[in-house]
Amino acid sequence: ILYDSLLRFSADELGVSYGSLAEFIAVSDDMTQVRMKLRPEARWHDGVPVTSLDVKFTFDHIRDNGIAGLKVFFLPLNQVDMINDREVRFKYHHPVNLNGMMSLGKMPILPEHYWRKRNVTKTTIEPPLTSGPYRVGQFELGKFIEFERVTDYWGKDIGPHRGSFNLDVLRFDVYRDGTVA
């Protein structure tokens, strides 16, 4: 709800994904490459466009800093290339099935320009810059967190999002006692 991903999986069609950040997807005949073109209207909440640099940064971050289980998931991926500001190419070591390729699309994309001067591996209580339909609202550590709907969310009218994200505030309370929870 905070970050957009390249694809959004369908809730009622098994194995089907639709473009969220990605408006165009092409798979090579030999099943070793996927090209995705980003939507020109995709924006971070500070108004900066989402670019292929953000996609490359995200996957490089996972490769370099991700937990072991996540790194294993990306072993078939050889490299991520920026074709231009809005196009990115994923190259695999060997042919991969469509499910393997499309699973990359569910990874939340991080803003490179925001994390450039911050340490993405350190814990912080500063709400991050995001691109999704919600942003961090009020919170109290160990008690609750609220996510507030972004009224001018860039993707509210694209097909896979239309009719979703209608609640103004999502609140999650923390209960440290299992009986109370």
Side-chain angles (χ1 to χ4, degrees), residues 64-81:
D64 298 341
N65 305 303
I67 59 173
L70 198 52
K71 285 183 177 185
V72 168
F73 182 69
F74 288 97
L75 282 177
L77 187 61
N78 182 29
Q79 67 187 58
V80 178
D81 297 323

Side-chain angles (χ1 to χ4, degrees), residues 49-66:
V50 177
T51 68
S52 58
L53 180 60
D54 299 312
V55 176
K56 180 164 178 45
F57 169 78
T58 299
F59 285 91
D60 288 349
H61 167 63
I62 292 166
R63 181 197 63 221
D64 298 341
N65 305 303

Side-chain angles (χ1 to χ4, degrees), residues 57-125:
F57 169 78
T58 299
F59 285 91
D60 288 349
H61 167 63
I62 292 166
R63 181 197 63 221
D64 298 341
N65 305 303
I67 59 173
L70 198 52
K71 285 183 177 185
V72 168
F73 182 69
F74 288 97
L75 282 177
L77 187 61
N78 182 29
Q79 67 187 58
V80 178
D81 297 323
M82 296 181 302
I83 297 170
N84 58 45
D85 281 350
R86 288 188 38 231
E87 291 185 64
V88 65
R89 178 177 44 230
F90 298 93
K91 290 184 178 179
Y92 294 87
H93 293 287
H94 49 77
V96 180
N97 66 31
L98 282 176
N99 286 336
M101 290 180 175
M102 295 303 114
S103 63
L104 288 178
K106 68 181 177 182
M107 186 61 49
I109 301 303
L110 303 173
E112 185 277 339
H113 73 282
Y114 175 81
W115 290 107
R116 186 180 309 138
K117 295 182 181 175
R118 292 170 172 85
N119 188 339
V120 72
T121 65
K122 299 294 181 190
T123 302
T124 180
I125 62 168

Side-chain angles (χ1 to χ4, degrees), residues 153-172:
Y153 170 51
W154 73 266
K156 68 182 176 186
D157 293 324
I158 65 171
H161 298 178
R162 196 173 300 125
S164 301
F165 317 119
N166 296 315
L167 300 173
D168 289 334
V169 176
L170 302 173
R171 181 182 170 109
F172 295 89

Side-chain angles (χ1 to χ4, degrees), residues 27-34 90-96 101:
V27 179
S28 65
D29 290 338
D30 65 359
M31 304 295 282
T32 61
Q33 296 183 34
V34 175
F90 298 93
K91 290 184 178 179
Y92 294 87
H93 293 287
H94 49 77
V96 180
M101 290 180 175

Side-chain angles (χ1 to χ4, degrees), residues 134-153:
Y134 289 87
R135 65 171 51 108
V136 174
Q138 297 180 27
F139 64 92
E140 191 172 331
L141 293 178
K143 298 203 184 250
F144 73 92
I145 185 167
E146 292 181 353
F147 299 103
E148 58 188 33
R149 187 166 57 103
V150 178
T151 56
D152 62 347
Y153 170 51

